[in-house]
Amino acid sequence: MRVRHPAQPDWGIGQVQSVVGDRITVNFEHAGKVLINAAVIALEIEDGPAR
């Protein structure tokens, strides 16, 4: 799944790598691999075509 971080638009689009409970590991275009706590941050799903 491709997502965006609503508070960090400069990170670009991220590819979800894994989900364990509320912890989501996402590999972002411009920020690399980031661990997101889904209980705190609601990622936005990117509906556009893959690049």
Side-chain angles (χ1 to χ4, degrees):
M1 177 180 288
R2 295 161 44 86
V3 297
R4 289 188 182 270
H5 188 300
Q8 301 292 341
D10 57 315
W11 287 4
I13 296 172
Q15 174 72 41
V16 174
Q17 301 296 304
S18 67
V19 179
V20 179
D22 283 341
R23 295 174 186 246
I24 304 171
T25 303
V26 183
N27 190 18
F28 287 97
E29 292 173 314
H30 306 294
K33 192 178 289 187
V34 178
L35 181 62
I36 305 287
N37 183 344
V40 177
I41 301 295
L43 295 171
E44 300 171 347
I45 297 172
E46 178 67 24
D47 291 330
R51 292 186 213 183

Short mmCIF file of all heavy atoms in Angstrom, two decimals:
data_model
loop_
_atom_site.label_atom_id
_atom_site.label_comp_id
_atom_site.label_asym_id
_atom_site.label_seq_id
_atom_site.Cartn_x
_atom_site.Cartn_y
_atom_site.Cartn_z
N MET A 1 0.85 -1.17 0.00
CA MET A 1 0.00 0.00 0.00
C MET A 1 0.90 1.24 0.00
O MET A 1 1.92 1.27 0.66
CB MET A 1 -0.89 -0.02 1.24
CG MET A 1 -1.77 1.19 1.36
SD MET A 1 -2.82 1.17 2.83
CE MET A 1 -3.97 -0.09 2.35
N ARG A 2 0.48 2.26 -0.74
CA ARG A 2 1.22 3.52 -0.81
C ARG A 2 0.49 4.56 0.04
O ARG A 2 -0.73 4.68 -0.04
CB ARG A 2 1.33 3.96 -2.26
CG ARG A 2 2.18 2.99 -3.07
CD ARG A 2 1.98 3.10 -4.57
NE ARG A 2 1.94 4.44 -5.09
CZ ARG A 2 3.00 5.16 -5.44
NH1 ARG A 2 4.20 4.67 -5.32
NH2 ARG A 2 2.87 6.37 -5.92
N VAL A 3 1.25 5.30 0.86
CA VAL A 3 0.67 6.24 1.82
C VAL A 3 1.47 7.54 1.85
O VAL A 3 2.58 7.62 1.32
CB VAL A 3 0.65 5.63 3.24
CG1 VAL A 3 -0.25 4.40 3.29
CG2 VAL A 3 2.04 5.28 3.73
N ARG A 4 0.87 8.53 2.49
CA ARG A 4 1.54 9.81 2.78
C ARG A 4 1.39 10.10 4.27
O ARG A 4 0.39 9.73 4.87
CB ARG A 4 0.91 10.96 2.00
CG ARG A 4 1.19 10.93 0.53
CD ARG A 4 0.68 12.22 -0.14
NE ARG A 4 0.92 12.18 -1.56
CZ ARG A 4 2.02 12.64 -2.14
NH1 ARG A 4 2.98 13.16 -1.41
NH2 ARG A 4 2.17 12.56 -3.44
N HIS A 5 2.38 10.79 4.84
CA HIS A 5 2.31 11.24 6.23
C HIS A 5 1.72 12.65 6.19
O HIS A 5 2.31 13.55 5.58
CB HIS A 5 3.70 11.26 6.85
CG HIS A 5 3.72 11.51 8.32
ND1 HIS A 5 3.23 12.65 8.89
CD2 HIS A 5 4.17 10.73 9.33
CE1 HIS A 5 3.39 12.59 10.20
NE2 HIS A 5 3.97 11.41 10.47
N PRO A 6 0.56 12.89 6.80
CA PRO A 6 -0.12 14.19 6.68
C PRO A 6 0.69 15.37 7.23
O PRO A 6 0.54 16.48 6.73
CB PRO A 6 -1.42 14.00 7.45
CG PRO A 6 -1.17 12.86 8.37
CD PRO A 6 -0.19 11.96 7.66
N ALA A 7 1.54 15.14 8.22
CA ALA A 7 2.31 16.23 8.81
C ALA A 7 3.69 16.39 8.16
O ALA A 7 4.41 17.33 8.48
CB ALA A 7 2.47 16.00 10.31
N GLN A 8 4.06 15.48 7.25
CA GLN A 8 5.37 15.51 6.62
C GLN A 8 5.26 15.35 5.10
O GLN A 8 5.76 14.38 4.53
CB GLN A 8 6.25 14.39 7.19
CG GLN A 8 6.47 14.45 8.68
CD GLN A 8 7.31 15.64 9.09
OE1 GLN A 8 8.01 16.25 8.29
NE2 GLN A 8 7.22 16.00 10.35
N PRO A 9 4.62 16.28 4.41
CA PRO A 9 4.44 16.14 2.96
C PRO A 9 5.76 16.07 2.19
O PRO A 9 5.83 15.46 1.12
CB PRO A 9 3.63 17.36 2.57
CG PRO A 9 3.87 18.35 3.66
CD PRO A 9 4.08 17.54 4.91
N ASP A 10 6.84 16.64 2.74
CA ASP A 10 8.13 16.61 2.06
C ASP A 10 8.77 15.22 2.06
O ASP A 10 9.73 14.99 1.34
CB ASP A 10 9.09 17.64 2.69
CG ASP A 10 9.28 17.43 4.17
OD1 ASP A 10 8.27 17.21 4.87
OD2 ASP A 10 10.43 17.51 4.64
N TRP A 11 8.24 14.28 2.84
CA TRP A 11 8.74 12.90 2.83
C TRP A 11 8.34 12.18 1.56
O TRP A 11 8.91 11.16 1.22
CB TRP A 11 8.21 12.13 4.03
CG TRP A 11 8.83 12.52 5.34
CD1 TRP A 11 9.74 13.51 5.56
CD2 TRP A 11 8.57 11.92 6.60
NE1 TRP A 11 10.06 13.57 6.88
CE2 TRP A 11 9.35 12.60 7.55
CE3 TRP A 11 7.74 10.89 7.02
CZ2 TRP A 11 9.34 12.26 8.90
CZ3 TRP A 11 7.73 10.57 8.36
CH2 TRP A 11 8.52 11.24 9.29
N GLY A 12 7.33 12.68 0.86
CA GLY A 12 6.86 12.05 -0.36
C GLY A 12 5.97 10.86 -0.07
O GLY A 12 5.45 10.69 1.03
N ILE A 13 5.79 10.01 -1.07
CA ILE A 13 4.95 8.83 -0.94
C ILE A 13 5.76 7.71 -0.31
O ILE A 13 6.93 7.54 -0.61
CB ILE A 13 4.41 8.40 -2.32
CG1 ILE A 13 3.51 9.50 -2.88
CG2 ILE A 13 3.65 7.07 -2.23
CD1 ILE A 13 3.07 9.28 -4.30
N GLY A 14 5.09 6.97 0.57
CA GLY A 14 5.76 5.85 1.22
C GLY A 14 5.10 4.53 0.87
O GLY A 14 3.90 4.47 0.61
N GLN A 15 5.91 3.48 0.87
CA GLN A 15 5.43 2.11 0.64
C GLN A 15 5.42 1.39 1.98
O GLN A 15 6.45 1.30 2.64
CB GLN A 15 6.36 1.39 -0.34
CG GLN A 15 6.03 -0.07 -0.54
CD GLN A 15 4.76 -0.25 -1.35
OE1 GLN A 15 4.52 0.44 -2.32
NE2 GLN A 15 3.94 -1.18 -0.94
N VAL A 16 4.24 0.89 2.40
CA VAL A 16 4.14 0.16 3.65
C VAL A 16 4.93 -1.13 3.54
O VAL A 16 4.76 -1.90 2.59
CB VAL A 16 2.66 -0.13 4.01
CG1 VAL A 16 2.57 -1.02 5.24
CG2 VAL A 16 1.91 1.17 4.25
N GLN A 17 5.82 -1.37 4.51
CA GLN A 17 6.66 -2.56 4.52
C GLN A 17 6.07 -3.64 5.43
O GLN A 17 6.09 -4.80 5.10
CB GLN A 17 8.07 -2.21 5.00
CG GLN A 17 8.75 -1.17 4.15
CD GLN A 17 8.99 -1.64 2.73
OE1 GLN A 17 9.62 -2.65 2.51
NE2 GLN A 17 8.48 -0.90 1.77
N SER A 18 5.56 -3.21 6.61
CA SER A 18 4.98 -4.18 7.55
C SER A 18 4.04 -3.47 8.51
O SER A 18 4.14 -2.26 8.73
CB SER A 18 6.07 -4.91 8.33
OG SER A 18 6.75 -4.01 9.19
N VAL A 19 3.12 -4.25 9.07
CA VAL A 19 2.18 -3.76 10.08
C VAL A 19 2.14 -4.78 11.20
O VAL A 19 1.83 -5.95 10.97
CB VAL A 19 0.76 -3.58 9.49
CG1 VAL A 19 -0.20 -3.09 10.56
CG2 VAL A 19 0.77 -2.63 8.31
N VAL A 20 2.45 -4.33 12.42
CA VAL A 20 2.39 -5.19 13.60
C VAL A 20 1.65 -4.40 14.66
O VAL A 20 2.18 -3.44 15.23
CB VAL A 20 3.80 -5.58 14.10
CG1 VAL A 20 3.69 -6.44 15.35
CG2 VAL A 20 4.59 -6.29 13.02
N GLY A 21 0.39 -4.76 14.89
CA GLY A 21 -0.43 -3.99 15.83
C GLY A 21 -0.61 -2.58 15.32
O GLY A 21 -1.03 -2.37 14.18
N ASP A 22 -0.26 -1.58 16.14
CA ASP A 22 -0.37 -0.17 15.75
C ASP A 22 0.91 0.35 15.11
O ASP A 22 0.99 1.53 14.76
CB ASP A 22 -0.70 0.69 16.97
CG ASP A 22 -2.16 0.60 17.38
OD1 ASP A 22 -2.98 0.19 16.54
OD2 ASP A 22 -2.48 0.95 18.53
N ARG A 23 1.92 -0.49 14.98
CA ARG A 23 3.21 -0.06 14.42
C ARG A 23 3.28 -0.38 12.92
O ARG A 23 3.12 -1.53 12.52
CB ARG A 23 4.36 -0.72 15.15
CG ARG A 23 4.43 -0.30 16.59
CD ARG A 23 5.49 -1.10 17.32
NE ARG A 23 5.44 -0.79 18.73
CZ ARG A 23 6.41 -0.18 19.38
NH1 ARG A 23 7.50 0.17 18.75
NH2 ARG A 23 6.29 0.07 20.66
N ILE A 24 3.51 0.67 12.14
CA ILE A 24 3.59 0.52 10.68
C ILE A 24 4.97 0.98 10.24
O ILE A 24 5.38 2.10 10.53
CB ILE A 24 2.51 1.37 9.99
CG1 ILE A 24 1.12 1.02 10.52
CG2 ILE A 24 2.58 1.21 8.48
CD1 ILE A 24 0.03 1.94 10.05
N THR A 25 5.67 0.12 9.53
CA THR A 25 6.97 0.48 8.97
C THR A 25 6.73 0.89 7.52
O THR A 25 6.16 0.14 6.74
CB THR A 25 7.96 -0.69 9.03
OG1 THR A 25 8.09 -1.10 10.38
CG2 THR A 25 9.32 -0.28 8.49
N VAL A 26 7.17 2.13 7.20
CA VAL A 26 6.95 2.69 5.87
C VAL A 26 8.29 3.16 5.30
O VAL A 26 9.08 3.79 6.00
CB VAL A 26 5.98 3.89 5.93
CG1 VAL A 26 5.70 4.44 4.54
CG2 VAL A 26 4.68 3.51 6.62
N ASN A 27 8.52 2.86 4.04
CA ASN A 27 9.72 3.34 3.35
C ASN A 27 9.31 4.53 2.48
O ASN A 27 8.68 4.35 1.44
CB ASN A 27 10.33 2.21 2.51
CG ASN A 27 11.68 2.57 1.97
OD1 ASN A 27 12.32 3.49 2.45
ND2 ASN A 27 12.12 1.85 0.96
N PHE A 28 9.67 5.74 2.92
CA PHE A 28 9.30 6.97 2.21
C PHE A 28 10.36 7.34 1.18
O PHE A 28 11.55 7.09 1.36
CB PHE A 28 9.13 8.13 3.20
CG PHE A 28 7.88 8.05 4.03
CD1 PHE A 28 7.90 7.52 5.30
CD2 PHE A 28 6.67 8.49 3.53
CE1 PHE A 28 6.75 7.44 6.07
CE2 PHE A 28 5.51 8.42 4.27
CZ PHE A 28 5.55 7.89 5.56
N GLU A 29 9.91 8.00 0.09
CA GLU A 29 10.78 8.41 -1.01
C GLU A 29 11.95 9.27 -0.53
O GLU A 29 13.08 9.10 -0.97
CB GLU A 29 10.00 9.24 -2.03
CG GLU A 29 8.97 8.47 -2.81
CD GLU A 29 8.13 9.39 -3.70
OE1 GLU A 29 7.67 10.44 -3.22
OE2 GLU A 29 7.95 9.03 -4.87
N HIS A 30 11.68 10.23 0.36
CA HIS A 30 12.69 11.21 0.74
C HIS A 30 13.09 11.16 2.20
O HIS A 30 13.87 12.00 2.65
CB HIS A 30 12.20 12.63 0.40
CG HIS A 30 11.79 12.78 -1.02
ND1 HIS A 30 12.67 12.67 -2.08
CD2 HIS A 30 10.57 12.99 -1.58
CE1 HIS A 30 12.02 12.83 -3.22
NE2 HIS A 30 10.74 13.02 -2.94
N ALA A 31 12.57 10.19 2.95
CA ALA A 31 12.91 10.08 4.38
C ALA A 31 13.41 8.70 4.75
O ALA A 31 13.85 8.48 5.87
CB ALA A 31 11.69 10.45 5.24
N GLY A 32 13.31 7.76 3.82
CA GLY A 32 13.75 6.40 4.12
C GLY A 32 12.75 5.65 4.97
O GLY A 32 11.56 5.97 5.01
N LYS A 33 13.25 4.65 5.70
CA LYS A 33 12.38 3.79 6.50
C LYS A 33 12.02 4.48 7.81
O LYS A 33 12.89 4.94 8.55
CB LYS A 33 13.09 2.47 6.79
CG LYS A 33 12.17 1.42 7.36
CD LYS A 33 12.88 0.11 7.58
CE LYS A 33 13.18 -0.55 6.26
NZ LYS A 33 13.73 -1.91 6.43
N VAL A 34 10.71 4.56 8.10
CA VAL A 34 10.20 5.24 9.29
C VAL A 34 9.18 4.33 9.97
O VAL A 34 8.33 3.74 9.31
CB VAL A 34 9.54 6.58 8.92
CG1 VAL A 34 8.98 7.28 10.14
CG2 VAL A 34 10.52 7.49 8.20
N LEU A 35 9.26 4.24 11.30
CA LEU A 35 8.29 3.49 12.09
C LEU A 35 7.21 4.46 12.56
O LEU A 35 7.50 5.46 13.23
CB LEU A 35 8.97 2.82 13.28
CG LEU A 35 8.08 1.99 14.18
CD1 LEU A 35 7.48 0.81 13.43
CD2 LEU A 35 8.86 1.51 15.39
N ILE A 36 5.96 4.19 12.19
CA ILE A 36 4.83 5.05 12.50
C ILE A 36 3.94 4.37 13.54
O ILE A 36 3.64 3.18 13.41
CB ILE A 36 3.97 5.32 11.23
CG1 ILE A 36 4.83 5.89 10.10
CG2 ILE A 36 2.76 6.18 11.54
CD1 ILE A 36 5.26 7.31 10.28
N ASN A 37 3.51 5.12 14.54
CA ASN A 37 2.55 4.62 15.51
C ASN A 37 1.16 5.02 15.02
O ASN A 37 0.78 6.19 15.10
CB ASN A 37 2.83 5.20 16.90
CG ASN A 37 1.91 4.65 17.96
OD1 ASN A 37 0.88 4.06 17.66
ND2 ASN A 37 2.28 4.85 19.21
N ALA A 38 0.39 4.06 14.53
CA ALA A 38 -0.93 4.34 13.94
C ALA A 38 -1.94 4.83 14.98
O ALA A 38 -2.97 5.39 14.63
CB ALA A 38 -1.47 3.11 13.23
N ALA A 39 -1.65 4.64 16.27
CA ALA A 39 -2.53 5.15 17.32
C ALA A 39 -2.39 6.67 17.44
O ALA A 39 -3.27 7.34 17.97
CB ALA A 39 -2.21 4.48 18.65
N VAL A 40 -1.28 7.22 16.90
CA VAL A 40 -1.01 8.65 17.00
C VAL A 40 -1.15 9.35 15.64
O VAL A 40 -1.65 10.46 15.56
CB VAL A 40 0.42 8.88 17.56
CG1 VAL A 40 0.76 10.36 17.60
CG2 VAL A 40 0.55 8.24 18.92
N ILE A 41 -0.69 8.69 14.56
CA ILE A 41 -0.68 9.28 13.22
C ILE A 41 -1.59 8.48 12.29
O ILE A 41 -1.47 7.27 12.20
CB ILE A 41 0.74 9.27 12.62
CG1 ILE A 41 1.72 10.04 13.50
CG2 ILE A 41 0.74 9.81 11.19
CD1 ILE A 41 1.43 11.51 13.61
N ALA A 42 -2.50 9.18 11.62
CA ALA A 42 -3.36 8.54 10.62
C ALA A 42 -2.76 8.81 9.24
O ALA A 42 -2.83 9.93 8.74
CB ALA A 42 -4.78 9.08 10.70
N LEU A 43 -2.13 7.81 8.66
CA LEU A 43 -1.54 7.96 7.34
C LEU A 43 -2.63 8.11 6.29
O LEU A 43 -3.71 7.55 6.44
CB LEU A 43 -0.67 6.75 7.00
CG LEU A 43 0.56 6.57 7.89
CD1 LEU A 43 1.21 5.21 7.60
CD2 LEU A 43 1.55 7.68 7.68
N GLU A 44 -2.34 8.87 5.24
CA GLU A 44 -3.28 9.05 4.14
C GLU A 44 -2.96 8.07 3.03
O GLU A 44 -1.80 7.98 2.60
CB GLU A 44 -3.18 10.48 3.60
CG GLU A 44 -3.50 11.54 4.65
CD GLU A 44 -3.19 12.94 4.18
OE1 GLU A 44 -2.50 13.12 3.15
OE2 GLU A 44 -3.64 13.88 4.85
N ILE A 45 -3.95 7.32 2.58
CA ILE A 45 -3.74 6.36 1.51
C ILE A 45 -3.62 7.09 0.18
O ILE A 45 -4.43 7.97 -0.13
CB ILE A 45 -4.90 5.34 1.46
CG1 ILE A 45 -4.91 4.54 2.77
CG2 ILE A 45 -4.77 4.42 0.26
CD1 ILE A 45 -6.12 3.63 2.91
N GLU A 46 -2.61 6.74 -0.58
CA GLU A 46 -2.34 7.35 -1.89
C GLU A 46 -3.03 6.49 -2.95
O GLU A 46 -2.67 5.33 -3.13
CB GLU A 46 -0.83 7.42 -2.13
CG GLU A 46 -0.44 7.99 -3.45
CD GLU A 46 -0.77 9.47 -3.59
OE1 GLU A 46 -0.89 10.18 -2.60
OE2 GLU A 46 -0.96 9.88 -4.75
N ASP A 47 -4.00 7.06 -3.65
CA ASP A 47 -4.77 6.32 -4.64
C ASP A 47 -4.19 6.38 -6.04
O ASP A 47 -4.63 5.67 -6.94
CB ASP A 47 -6.22 6.83 -4.71
CG ASP A 47 -6.99 6.50 -3.45
OD1 ASP A 47 -6.68 5.47 -2.81
OD2 ASP A 47 -7.92 7.26 -3.11
N GLY A 48 -3.21 7.24 -6.26
CA GLY A 48 -2.67 7.44 -7.60
C GLY A 48 -1.90 6.24 -8.11
O GLY A 48 -1.61 5.31 -7.38
N PRO A 49 -1.56 6.25 -9.39
CA PRO A 49 -0.82 5.13 -9.99
C PRO A 49 0.60 5.05 -9.44
O PRO A 49 1.18 6.04 -9.05
CB PRO A 49 -0.80 5.49 -11.47
CG PRO A 49 -0.97 6.97 -11.51
CD PRO A 49 -1.83 7.32 -10.32
N ALA A 50 1.14 3.86 -9.43
CA ALA A 50 2.51 3.65 -8.97
C ALA A 50 3.48 4.32 -9.92
O ALA A 50 3.25 4.36 -11.12
CB ALA A 50 2.80 2.15 -8.87
N ARG A 51 4.57 4.86 -9.39
CA ARG A 51 5.57 5.54 -10.21
C ARG A 51 6.75 4.64 -10.44
O ARG A 51 7.15 3.86 -9.71
CB ARG A 51 6.07 6.80 -9.52
CG ARG A 51 5.01 7.85 -9.42
CD ARG A 51 5.61 9.10 -8.86
NE ARG A 51 4.63 9.78 -8.06
CZ ARG A 51 4.83 10.92 -7.49
NH1 ARG A 51 5.98 11.50 -7.58
NH2 ARG A 51 3.91 11.51 -6.79
#
